[in-house]
Amino acid sequence: MMKNRGIAFKLVFFILTSCAVIFLVIFAYNYLFSRRIIIKNIESSAKNLTLVTVNKIETVLCSAAEVPESLAYFLEEGSYDTEEMLKLLKSMVENNPAIYGSTAAFEPNAFDKDSLYFAPYFYRSGDRVEFKYLGNDSYRYFYLDWYQIPRELGRPVWSEPYYDVGGGDILMSTYSVPFYADIGKEKKFMGIVTADISLAWLEDIISSIKIARSGYGFLVSKNGTIVSHPQKGLIMNETIFSIAEARDDPRLREIGREMIKGKSGFTPSRSIFTGKECWIAYAPVPSSGWSFGAVFPKDELMADMIRFNRIVLGLGAAGLLFLLIVIVWIAHSITRPLRILAKTTRDIAKGNLDFELPAVRSKDEVGELANSFIYMKGALKRYIKELTEATSAKERIESELRIAHDIQMNILPKVFPPFPDRREFDIYATLEPAKEVGGDFYDFFFIDDDNICFVIGDVSGKGVPAALFMAMVKTLIKSTARTTSSPDEILKTVNEEVSGKNDSCMFVTVFLAILNVRTGHVDYVNAGHNPPLVIHAGKEVSFLKDATGPAIGIFENGVFEKERIVLRPGDTIYMYTDGVTEAMDSGHHLFSEERLKETISKLAGSSIREIIDQMLEEIKSFSHGMPQADDITMLAVRYFSAAKPDRARAAHRTIVLKNSLSEIKKMATSIAEFGKEKNLPPDRINDATLVLEEAINNVVSYGYGDAKEHTIIIDVDLAGDGLSLRVQDDARPFNPLEVTPPDIHAPLESRRVGGLGIHLMRNFTDNLEYKREDGKNILTMRIPCR
């Protein structure tokens, strides 16, 4: 449905997407803002909670610390006896519920010279206060931390929590206060007054802290030892650092460092108890150097906000759904007329212009569009009628141009080699018109048995007029050459004929030459044409000396000068039109005569067909796909030498075939006629037909990689007691002598495919030779006629 309602879909999609984006932006902002506020509130509450808890602990510790400090002051300043000191110790424990036990532990022999230990200890036992003396061989108190550390530091110290075996026999921490006696100007250390605090009482304070469902408080000593925690197994058995190491939790390790340094903070971490994400708030207990921490579970504290956001998301989705329904209804009402017009458009695309539009009463854009459709209906009918007439005229013109192109190509010689029985020279040409028909032309023909005339020309302008002018000039040149063999006289006569009746003021540049095939002499005239190139057998390339003269058709009394050169065997004359040198690349640079000479120099050792074909490819590559602006025409003549008299000429036949399998029949007919004329044995004629059929089939089927027309030349010679067959083609190189003979005795299913035809050629001939020469394959076979 949406596929056929593109505008409605786009409208709904745009509005809904816009609303969704706005909603998501607002929701995201609200979520981030509320989350930030909640986290700030949690941080503030966490700091308040830790501060309140630390103050509670500090109050207890400070009240407990005042008692031993007062007793130490009394022992330093007043005189006392044993009974009085014992009363003070007992009253300290009885009157201070926070104190579990207290002692005044003297230095060895300091209280009584005859007693190593003197440390009366009062402690709670249930509801009573018990008494005992500390110090014996198993409890040498003056070596314990609660005694040694304040003695060495010279100040009161809270000890690390410990299990007091032999003292209170419970887990406790001791506040130790050193006291001294004045001896002269010096103070002598006399002992330590202590107050023991039960950690069970301290744990009650911390365990009373409730934070959501799984939050809790914990206490660590100044060395990081767990003093209080919901997991009882951790107390006094683990440190915050050992837990961090076991869980590979560097963040918890960093929190531990901060706590034992006496710092405060609020930082994200993972709960020691549950492993879930949480925040940990921590603060030091100043008097003892311990640190209190509170764990705030993140998911539980953020649960209300998450639940609220889910409700907001649900309401937003419901609102968007309702908005979607409303927008779809509105879009449907807006686009209904447009869908009707769209259906009408499809009818128009099918060619139905007799459609009827429903009445559209609205005065808005849809109404204007409907009126435009009605106008378009009439306009299209008129346009189609005019287009049909114009198309018919254009097709007629194009058909005539194609016919003109075919006629133009047919009046130019295009079978090469054109004179296969003449061995004195080779000739090849090509023409690529810029339009369907053009003004370039070439021609060659024998004036007599020894002189061949060849000409190339370029008519001013292009298209049909140039082609007609070209045909006229070409015909005049050929007819005039029958009456005179001098190139200057030929062009003089043609120029007079053309100039006298040239109302169109057209002209043609011409290069005309006559080659004597016995002597190699070339007489030529250049009537305003591009100078040809001479490719000497030694591969030296040079421009032919100009025999200057005006273009044909400009001046009625034009004067043409004749020049002569002598071609040596292997020399070549390369002629061209300005479509070659004036071909342009995308940067509007010309191909130029310099580039032409340079390219021809590289190709000098190739056959004339290869030279022209490679030049054409070079021009196309240079142009980089730029449209062809002018006709491109090239003609090349290569001179070999005068033919030697052939006494056995009557025993020779040349067969010229096209590269088509249908030409095999023509070959077979010609061989049969030759055999009949020379009274050859029928079986030998059959052998000759069979081997030639195999050779032609190989060339046509596998030799060419393009769809162009090519020529295959067969020379048949009867010499002595043998029949010589020479096959010449310009296909890709292929040496049949290199093909491995098939194993004809092997089972059929294991034989290698191919090679049987060449096997027959070897069996039916007594000599088989191959060579590659001038870009051509030359296969020579001899069939005995005895």
Side-chain angles (χ1 to χ4, degrees), residues 358-369:
V360 179
R361 299 181 179 85
S362 62
K363 302 292 185 180
D364 56 9
E365 290 82 357
V366 176
E368 292 181 4
L369 183 59

Side-chain angles (χ1 to χ4, degrees), residues 54-69 98-99 158 173-175 195 197-199 201-202 205 219 285-290:
V54 166
N55 287 338
K56 286 183 180 180
I57 297 172
E58 188 71 7
T59 300
V60 174
L61 294 179
C62 289
S63 63
E66 290 176 355
V67 177
E69 288 177 354
I99 298 177
W158 282 97
S173 181
T174 300
Y175 185 69
I197 304 297
S198 171
L199 294 185
W201 169 83
L202 188 61
I205 295 177
L219 187 72
V285 180
S287 60
S288 62
W290 303 342

Side-chain angles (χ1 to χ4, degrees), residues 227-410:
V227 178
S228 178
H229 195 275
Q231 285 184 296
K232 305 300 181 183
L234 300 178
I235 299 174
M236 299 304 296
N237 292 322
E238 297 285 351
T239 67
I240 192 170
F241 301 108
S242 64
I243 295 172
E245 188 68 26
R247 297 191 179 192
D248 192 20
D249 189 347
R251 185 61 194 157
L252 182 61
R253 188 181 297 110
E254 183 61 27
I255 291 172
R257 292 193 187 102
E258 296 291 306
M259 293 179 74
I260 66 174
K261 289 179 181 178
K263 295 183 179 181
S264 301
F266 179 80
T267 184
S269 183
R270 289 191 175 273
S271 171
I272 300 174
F273 187 60
T274 63
K276 294 181 179 180
E277 290 186 356
C278 65
W279 289 288
I280 295 180
Y282 52 91
V285 180
S287 60
S288 62
W290 303 342
S291 185
F292 169 74
V295 176
F296 293 79
K298 184 177 181 180
D299 55 347
E300 296 173 14
L301 296 176
M302 301 291 288
D304 291 339
M305 186 194 77
I306 294 172
R307 187 164 48 253
F308 172 75
N309 286 329
R310 286 175 179 171
I311 293 172
V312 172
L313 272 177
L315 292 175
L320 288 174
L321 180 61
F322 175 75
L323 183 61
L324 173 63
I325 295 171
V326 174
I327 293 172
V328 168
W329 180 80
I330 294 173
H332 179 79
S333 64
I334 293 174
T335 59
R336 181 175 175 274
L338 296 178
R339 290 197 300 275
I340 296 173
L341 293 176
K343 182 178 180 301
T344 303
T345 303
R346 288 193 293 272
D347 292 339
I348 294 173
K350 295 176 183 178
N352 179 19
L353 297 180
D354 296 324
F355 58 86
E356 293 295 334
L357 284 175
V360 179
R361 299 181 179 85
S362 62
K363 302 292 185 180
D364 56 9
E365 290 82 357
V366 176
E368 292 181 4
L369 183 59
N371 293 331
S372 298
F373 263 73
I374 295 171
Y375 174 77
M376 181 178 67
K377 173 183 176 181
L380 280 175
K381 283 187 174 182
R382 292 191 301 273
Y383 174 74
I384 290 174
K385 180 181 178 181
E386 295 170 356
L387 181 61
T388 302
E389 295 174 353
T391 301
S392 299
K394 182 180 178 182
E395 289 177 350
R396 184 170 61 254
I397 294 172
E398 290 177 349
S399 176
E400 292 173 353
L401 287 174
R402 283 194 297 272
I403 294 171
H405 174 266
D406 294 341
I407 293 173
Q408 180 188 21
M409 292 296 104
N410 287 333

Side-chain angles (χ1 to χ4, degrees), residues 417-425 446 643 646 649 652-656 713-715:
F419 312 108
D421 56 341
R422 301 301 295 259
R423 308 296 179 84
E424 303 96 329
F425 66 95
F446 271 98
D646 190 359
R649 191 173 185 85
H652 171 82
R653 174 168 292 202
T654 298
I655 306 171
V656 180
I713 302 174
I714 302 174
D715 289 310

Side-chain angles (χ1 to χ4, degrees), residues 126-190:
D127 296 333
R128 295 178 301 157
V129 175
E130 300 290 342
F131 168 76
K132 66 179 177 180
Y133 280 103
L134 302 178
N136 53 51
D137 292 340
S138 61
Y139 189 78
R140 300 166 70 87
Y141 62 80
F142 36 76
Y143 293 139
L144 300 180
D145 288 347
W146 61 263
Y147 189 93
Q148 284 288 331
I149 293 174
R151 176 186 179 188
E152 295 300 323
L153 296 178
R155 60 178 174 80
V157 173
W158 282 97
S159 71
E160 281 286 292
Y162 65 95
Y163 193 79
D164 188 31
V165 179
D169 292 324
I170 61 170
L171 190 63
M172 63 177 65
S173 181
T174 300
Y175 185 69
S176 303
V177 182
F179 64 92
Y180 302 86
D182 292 328
I183 299 179
K185 294 182 179 181
E186 296 182 357
K187 285 192 173 188
K188 181 182 179 182
F189 176 74
M190 296 299 292

Side-chain angles (χ1 to χ4, degrees), residues 559-617:
V559 177
F560 301 93
E561 296 181 5
K562 180 178 70 173
E563 292 286 347
R564 169 175 287 189
I565 61 169
V566 178
L567 296 181
R568 298 177 182 274
D571 287 354
T572 301
I573 297 179
Y574 169 82
M575 293 150 280
Y576 58 94
T577 60
D578 57 5
V580 173
T581 54
E582 295 180 4
M584 286 193 298
D585 62 9
S586 56
H588 299 285
H589 301 109
L590 297 179
F591 191 81
S592 75
E593 292 182 349
E594 292 76 12
R595 188 186 299 271
L596 171 64
K597 182 178 179 182
E598 179 183 345
T599 306
I600 290 294
S601 298
K602 295 177 182 177
L603 301 172
S606 305
S607 67
I608 57 174
R609 177 187 287 267
E610 290 175 340
I611 290 174
I612 290 180
D613 290 345
Q614 288 295 324
M615 274 301 308
L616 193 58
E617 291 299 322

